[in-house]
Amino acid sequence: MTPIVDSEKQIRKIEVRTESSNPWSVKARSALFAFLGIAVAGISLLVLSHLSSDIYLHDVRQSLREIPRNLVFLAFAFTILSFAAVAIYDVVAVETIAPGRIPYRISAMAGGAGYAISNALGFSLLTGGALRYRIYAAEGIDTADIGRIIGTSWMAIWFAFIILIAVALVIDPSRIPWVVSFGPIVDQIIGAGVLACVALLLYWLSRRERTLRLGKMSVKLPSTQGALLQIISGLVDVAAAAATLYVLLPAGSVSSIPAFALVYVVAVALGIVSHAPGGIGAFEATIIAGLGLGQNPDAIAALVAYRAIYTLFPFLIAVAGFALSEILRKRHVLTASTQTAVRMFEPLIPPLSAGIAFLGGIVLLISTVIPGTHYRLEALSGIVPMPFLEMSHLGASFVGLALLIVARGLARRLWRAWLVALGLFSAGAVFALIKGLAWEEALLLTLMAGILLLFRESFYRKPLGESFALSWGWLASVGTTAFAIIWLGFFAYRHVEYANELWWEFAWDAQASRFLRALVLVLTCLAAITINTIINGVGRIKLRAQPIPDEVPALVAQSARAADALALLGDKRFLMDDAGHGFVMYARSGGSLVSMGEPVGTDDKTVSDLAWAFRGLADRTGTRTVFYGVGPERLPLFLDMGLTALKLGEVARVDLTEFSLEGSKRQPLRYAARRLEKEGVTFEILPRERTSEVMQELRAISDAWLAMKSGSEKRFSLGSFENAYLAHFDIAILRKEGAIVAFANLWRGAGQGEVAVDLMRHLPDASSVVMDGLFANLLVAAKNEGYRWFNLGAAPLSGLSDSHLASRWNRIGSFIYRRGAEFYRFDGLRAFKDKFGPKWTPYYLICPPGLATPRSLIDATNLVSGSPFEVFKR
C-alpha cells in the first residue's frame, strides 16, 4: 500500500476559528431542554429534602443494615427476570424486521446489555436506541430497519404501561393517584375497553401480515405470536422492575398494588426527563411523594438498595462481561460464536467506558460528602499531616467532577480522554487513601483503571483543533448528578448547625467543614464549565487552510479532471501521498471532514489508498467522512467504506467532437455570437502569462457583477476572485471598443481531455446575450484546440426520481426541483445548459449513512455557502 503522509502529525499546529450561529439554533433548543431537565431534577431534590426533613444519615444506614437478606436475594431475582424480559424485546423485533440476519443470543445480549448501560448512564447521555443502532449497523442492518427494530422494541414497553394502567382501572380505580375518576363503574368500563382493544389488535394481526404506515414511514408489525410475546415480555419487565423495589420497601408502605405500579411508571418517566443518570433524585422524589412515604428512613433505605441492585448490579455485570471478552480476545482462544459477539459488541466499549468513568466520578464525589469513619481518621492522624488530608479531600472532589466530564471523551473514543481518565483514576485512588483510608474506593478505582487498560485499542481518535466544550445534554447530566450528590452532603450533615466558623475550621473531626470547602470547589468548576460551554459550544469549527504544498500545482496540471484546479484556491487543507503522487483537498465543517471531489492521483491505486487514508483520518479525529461532488466512476470504492451516496444532480458535458454551431438546435447560439459581432464585441483567450496585465480591469468587472447579484464570493467548490488564484489560468475575455466587458477563467484538464470555466462575470450593462455568446465562442475555441469535452458544470437536483419507490432523498430533491422556483430556478439552469446538447452524468455527496447523513449534508452546505439551497447550485 502506498505510504500516506499522516496529517495527524500536524494536529497541534492546526488553528481553528469559530463562526457565530443563530441563538435560536438547534443548540439553543438543546440548551433549553438541558435546563428543563436540570429544573426537574432541582425541583425533585427540593421535594425530596422537604419530605425527608426529619431523617438523618445514621437512620438510613441503620435501616439498610436491617433489610432482610431473603428480600435482597428476591430483589436480585426480580432484576434478573426484568432484564431477561428486556432481552426478548430485541429478539422479537429483530426477527420481525430482519429475520435470520442476527442470531437470537446476539440480539438478546444487545437488548439486555444495552439497557443495562443506558439505565446506569441516563438517557440524556446515551440512549438504548443509540446503543442498538451501533450494534445493528455494524452487522449491516440498514438505518430504516434499525429504526423499525428500535420502534418495535419500544412499543412493547408502552403496551405494558397501557395494559398495567387498564388493569389498575379494572381492579382498583378509586385508589390510583393522579388519575381523574369518572366513578368506579365508568373507570372499570374504560379499563376493560382498553384491554378489549388489545385483544382485537392481536386478532387483527393473526389474519395476515400487517404493516403500520405513518405518512411515508412504514413499520412491519409482528405476528400475533410475536406481538403476544412482546406484550408478555413488557408486562414481565415492568412488573419485575417494580417488584424489585416493592419487596425492598417496608411492610405496609404500599396500600394498593395498582397505585404502586402507576407511581412507579411515572417515576421512571420523570427520571428520564431529568437527564440525571438513572433518573436519580426525580425517581426517588416521585416514589416517596406518590406513596406518601415521607419521614420514613426505611423507605429511603429501600430506594438506596434498589439503586444498587437494579441499576448498579446489571451495569457491573455488563462491565465484567465485556472485560472478560476482551481478555479472551487478546488470548486468541475464542470460539466462532464468541468472536461474533465480541465483534458486534465492540461498539459498546466506548459508552461502557464512559459509564465506568462516570461511576468512578460518582464514587469519589459521594466519598467526599459522606462522613468518613472515625477510627480510620484517628489512625490516619498519626501518619499523614493535616494539610495533606485537607488537600486530598479537595483533590478527590476535583477528580470526581473531572471524571464525569472526561466520560464524554471516552464515549467519543478520544485517545487523550482515555489517557486523562487513567491519570484521574490513579490520582483518585491515592486521594481516597490519604483523605480517609478508604481502601475500598481506592481498590475500586484501580480496578476501573485496569478495565480501561484492557480497552486501550478502542480509543484512537485525536480531534483536529477542537476547543473544549461539553454538549448541553452531557452538561445537564453532570450538573444534575453533582446537585444530587451535593444534596446528599447536606442530608449527611443535617445534624450540624451552620456557623460561619465552619468554613475555616481545620481539625481531624471537622468533616462538615471539609464538605463545605469541597462544595465551593465543585460549584466553581461547574460554573466555569457552563460558561465555557455557552461561549465555545455554539459555533461551527472550521480548519484554516494550509499553504499549498509544492507538489500540488504539478499534480493538478497532470489531472484529467479540470475541476481539480480548485486545489489552487488556497482555502483547503491537504492529505498528501508520501511519494508525491496524489492528494486529498479538504476542510473541516462542524463535525465533518469534507473532501472537495475524490482524491487526485496519478493512478488508480494512489487514489484508492488516499481515499482510505482520508476515511481513516476522519475516523481517528472523531469526524464524519464526506466527499462532496464526486462522479459515479468510483462509487463502489466509497460503498466499500460503509458510506452512502446522495445524488445531488447531474453534470453537463459537451462532446466537442460532435459539437457544431450549425443546425436548428444551435440557432440561439449562432444568434448570440453574430449579435456580439454586430455590437463590436470581440473574443480572445489571454494566456496566463498576461493575466496580470488586466487584473485590475477584471477586478472592477467582478466587483460590479457581485454588486449586481447582491452576493458575495463563494469558496471551496467554486473559485473566487483572488489575484494569486487567477494567475494560474488562461482568461477568456470579451472586449468592446478595447475595454473588457466579460471574462471567464479556464480550467484545463491534462491531455486535452476536458476544459471548463470557473468564474463567469460581466458588466451590468453588457449585452443581454453576453453569456450565450461567451460560451458559444469558448466551445468553438476548445474544439479547435483539440479538446474532447467541455464541462458546463452541474444542474442541481436534476435527474432525481420522484417515484414512490425511490429513496426519501430522491423524492425530496425532486419535489424541490419542481416546486422550488421561488428560491432558485433549478429547471432554468438545466434548460440553459441543454442548449449546448450536453451529455448528463450524475454527481454525488458521499457521507456516512443513517443519522449522520443529514448532519453531513448540513456541514457540507455550511462549508460551501452557508445557505441550505446554495449547496445545490454548485
Side-chain angles (χ1 to χ4, degrees):
M1 184 173 181
T2 306
I4 304 296
V5 174
D6 192 351
S7 62
E8 194 176 310
K9 296 176 182 177
Q10 303 177 4
I11 285 175
R12 294 186 179 180
K13 299 180 181 179
I14 296 175
E15 298 177 321
V16 299
R17 61 187 175 89
T18 304
E19 297 181 351
S20 61
S21 59
N22 188 334
W24 295 106
S25 63
V26 174
K27 291 188 177 181
R29 292 193 294 271
S30 299
L32 180 62
F33 284 118
F35 283 115
L36 175 62
I38 292 175
V40 170
I43 293 171
S44 300
L45 292 173
L46 288 175
V47 171
L48 193 59
S49 180
H50 173 72
L51 293 176
S52 60
S53 58
D54 294 331
I55 301 175
Y56 295 94
L57 182 61
H58 62 83
D59 298 327
V60 177
R61 284 175 169 171
Q62 181 63 31
S63 296
L64 271 172
R65 287 191 287 266
E66 293 176 355
I67 296 177
R69 289 190 177 182
N70 64 317
L71 295 182
V72 173
F73 290 136
L74 188 58
F76 273 112
F78 279 125
T79 296
I80 294 171
L81 180 61
S82 175
F83 276 83
V86 169
I88 294 177
Y89 292 168
D90 275 44
V91 172
V92 175
V94 169
E95 285 306 300
T96 300
I97 306 301
R101 299 279 297 277
I102 297 177
Y104 291 161
R105 63 182 182 279
I106 300 300
S107 54
M109 290 171 64
Y115 183 71
I117 295 172
S118 61
N119 186 46
L121 280 176
F123 285 80
S124 62
L125 298 185
L126 199 61
T127 66
L131 291 169
R132 291 178 177 92
Y133 173 80
R134 294 184 181 187
I135 294 173
Y136 296 138
E139 283 303 294
I141 307 295
D142 62 49
T143 306
D145 281 344
I146 293 174
R148 294 183 181 106
I149 290 171
I150 295 172
T152 304
S153 297
W154 274 100
M155 278 198 298
I157 193 168
W158 284 110
F159 263 108
F161 289 162
I162 293 170
I163 292 172
L164 283 175
I165 294 172
V167 170
L169 287 172
V170 171
I171 296 176
D172 192 3
S174 62
R175 304 182 70 177
I176 298 179
W178 308 320
V179 174
V180 178
S181 178
F182 299 98
I185 296 178
V186 176
D187 291 343
Q188 288 175 331
I189 291 174
I190 293 174
V194 172
L195 294 176
C197 289
V198 173
L200 287 174
L201 174 63
L202 293 174
Y203 174 76
W204 179 66
L205 291 174
S206 70
R207 305 296 294 172
R208 59 182 175 85
E209 186 178 284
R210 302 286 185 177
T211 301
L212 176 64
R213 299 189 183 278
L214 299 173
K216 295 184 177 179
M217 210 171 63
S218 63
V219 179
K220 181 183 176 183
L221 296 177
S223 63
T224 299
Q225 181 181 2
L228 189 59
L229 183 58
Q230 278 209 316
I231 290 173
I232 293 173
S233 300
L235 290 172
V236 171
D237 167 32
V238 177
T244 303
L245 175 60
Y246 177 80
V247 298
L248 296 170
L249 288 172
S253 58
V254 176
S255 58
S256 170
I257 296 296
F260 171 75
L262 181 63
V263 170
Y264 183 86
V265 169
V266 174
V268 171
L270 285 178
I272 293 173
V273 173
S274 72
H275 287 281
I280 189 168
F283 177 86
E284 285 77 6
T286 307
I287 292 292
I288 291 176
L291 298 179
L293 299 178
Q295 315 308 331
N296 188 337
D298 293 340
I300 301 292
L303 287 166
V304 173
Y306 169 81
R307 283 295 183 187
I309 294 171
Y310 193 79
T311 302
L312 186 58
F313 169 68
F315 177 74
L316 293 179
I317 291 296
V319 171
F322 277 95
L324 179 61
S325 69
E326 192 71 6
I327 293 172
L328 292 175
R329 183 179 70 84
K330 292 182 178 180
R331 291 182 60 189
H332 308 288
V333 294
L334 295 181
T335 64
S337 61
T338 311
Q339 287 176 347
T340 301
V342 168
R343 175 170 54 85
M344 286 190 64
F345 285 102
E346 198 282 333
L348 283 180
I349 289 177
L352 187 69
S353 302
I356 293 172
F358 214 89
L359 178 61
I362 290 174
V363 168
L364 269 176
L365 287 173
I366 290 178
S367 73
T368 61
V369 303
I370 295 295
T373 307
H374 288 289
Y375 76 85
R376 292 188 182 184
L377 289 174
E378 290 177 3
L380 198 64
S381 64
I383 304 172
V384 177
M386 184 178 293
F388 280 63
L389 171 73
E390 298 290 348
M391 293 304 297
S392 295
H393 196 274
L394 291 175
S397 303
F398 174 79
V399 169
L401 183 63
L403 281 171
L404 301 185
I405 296 166
V406 166
R408 180 174 185 255
L410 293 175
R412 297 174 59 200
R413 297 180 180 268
L414 301 186
W415 176 79
R416 281 176 287 185
W418 176 84
L419 193 63
V420 170
L422 286 180
L424 290 173
F425 276 127
S426 302
V430 174
F431 289 147
L433 289 173
I434 297 176
K435 75 178 181 61
L437 286 180
W439 62 267
E440 302 93 340
E441 297 165 16
L443 178 61
L444 180 61
L445 294 171
T446 302
L447 289 175
M448 290 177 172
I451 293 172
L452 281 187
L453 281 172
L454 283 176
F455 296 157
R456 166 66 185 91
E457 296 175 5
S458 295
F459 302 93
Y460 53 84
R461 290 177 173 170
K462 299 178 181 180
L464 293 171
E466 186 171 348
S467 62
F468 171 78
L470 289 179
S471 68
W472 285 110
W474 203 284
L475 181 62
S477 294
V478 170
T480 52
T481 302
F483 292 150
I485 294 173
I486 289 170
W487 175 89
L488 179 61
F490 282 111
F491 178 80
Y493 296 103
R494 178 174 285 170
H495 62 285
V496 179
E497 293 187 7
Y498 176 79
N500 290 333
E501 290 78 9
L502 286 175
W503 291 97
W504 52 78
E505 182 180 354
F506 296 92
W508 287 101
D509 59 349
Q511 300 192 65
S513 298
R514 282 192 284 274
F515 160 65
L516 289 176
R517 289 190 287 270
L519 168 65
V520 172
L521 176 65
V522 169
L523 290 179
T524 301
C525 291
L526 269 177
I529 294 164
T530 303
I531 292 171
N532 180 75
T533 301
I534 293 172
I535 294 174
N536 295 325
V538 296
R540 293 188 174 274
I541 298 172
K542 295 184 182 179
L543 295 181
R544 283 182 176 172
Q546 68 184 53
I548 299 172
D550 296 337
E551 302 90 343
V552 167
L555 290 169
V556 169
Q558 297 172 38
S559 175
R561 291 193 305 269
D564 289 342
L566 283 168
L568 307 176
L569 187 56
D571 64 344
K572 300 174 180 67
R573 299 195 63 80
F574 296 90
L575 177 64
M576 298 296 303
D577 171 70
D578 191 40
H581 295 161
F583 63 86
V584 177
M585 47 179 159
Y586 70 96
R588 166 81 178 269
S589 177
S592 304
L593 287 188
V594 185
S595 167
M596 182 57 238
E598 62 186 55
V600 179
T602 55
D603 55 72
D604 288 343
K605 186 177 186 303
T606 299
V607 171
S608 177
D609 289 348
L610 278 166
W612 280 104
F614 183 69
R615 179 83 167 94
L617 175 63
D619 183 60
R620 290 192 303 275
T621 55
T623 51
R624 292 177 287 274
T625 307
V626 180
F627 293 89
Y628 176 81
V630 304
E633 297 82 5
R634 299 190 190 275
L635 282 184
L637 170 65
F638 300 124
L639 296 178
D640 286 345
M641 294 180 181
L643 304 176
T644 191
L646 300 183
K647 185 177 179 181
L648 296 178
E650 294 180 316
V651 174
R653 300 174 76 229
V654 178
D655 186 346
L656 294 177
T657 61
E658 301 175 356
F659 178 76
S660 170
L661 290 180
E662 302 302 321
S664 59
K665 293 184 178 180
R666 303 292 179 265
Q667 193 276 332
L669 299 179
R670 290 197 305 274
Y671 168 77
R674 290 170 182 171
R675 178 173 168 182
L676 289 180
E677 289 180 12
K678 292 179 180 179
E679 293 177 359
V681 178
T682 60
F683 170 83
E684 65 176 303
I685 297 178
L686 287 178
R688 63 180 181 177
E689 293 79 12
R690 294 182 55 195
T691 300
S692 59
E693 300 174 7
V694 297
M695 194 67 73
Q696 293 303 316
E697 194 173 358
L698 298 181
R699 179 171 290 280
I701 295 173
S702 177
D703 291 344
W705 186 85
L706 289 171
M708 174 181 64
K709 296 293 183 179
S710 299
S712 59
E713 293 284 12
K714 305 304 179 185
R715 306 288 289 182
F716 193 71
S717 65
L718 277 183
S720 59
F721 197 102
E722 303 286 346
N723 289 8
Y725 171 64
L726 290 179
H728 290 285
F729 309 110
D730 298 344
I731 306 292
I733 60 175
L734 293 177
R735 293 183 185 269
K736 184 175 183 179
E737 298 177 357
I740 300 176
V741 295
F743 73 91
N745 64 303
L746 302 183
W747 289 341
R748 297 180 182 272
Q752 294 187 314
E754 181 183 66
V755 65
V757 296
D758 181 21
L759 302 184
M760 298 170 288
R761 298 180 178 180
H762 60 81
L763 291 174
D765 57 354
S767 173
S768 60
V769 295
V770 65
M771 282 293 103
D772 282 3
L774 179 60
F775 270 101
N777 281 287
L778 273 172
L779 266 70
V780 171
K783 179 176 182 177
N784 292 338
E785 290 181 24
Y787 279 91
R788 174 76 169 80
W789 295 96
F790 192 101
N791 192 323
L792 293 170
L797 300 181
S798 68
L800 273 64
S801 173
D802 60 353
S803 168
H804 71 282
L805 298 176
S807 70
R808 185 175 290 107
W809 166 253
N810 272 265
R811 296 198 302 271
I812 292 173
S814 177
F815 175 81
I816 296 174
Y817 181 83
R818 289 181 284 107
R819 304 293 179 86
E822 61 181 289
F823 301 104
Y824 184 74
R825 287 298 306 277
F826 296 105
D827 55 346
L829 181 60
R830 182 177 178 109
F832 170 79
K833 295 180 179 182
D834 261 334
K835 292 187 293 188
F836 301 91
K839 296 182 179 178
W840 295 93
T841 56
Y843 74 107
Y844 299 90
L845 177 81
I846 307 296
C847 62
L851 300 177
T853 297
R855 296 176 182 176
S856 302
L857 184 60
I858 290 171
D859 288 343
T861 303
N862 288 327
L863 178 63
V864 171
S865 62
S867 168
F869 281 95
E870 288 289 337
V871 71
F872 304 119
K873 301 181 190 179
R874 313 269 146 215

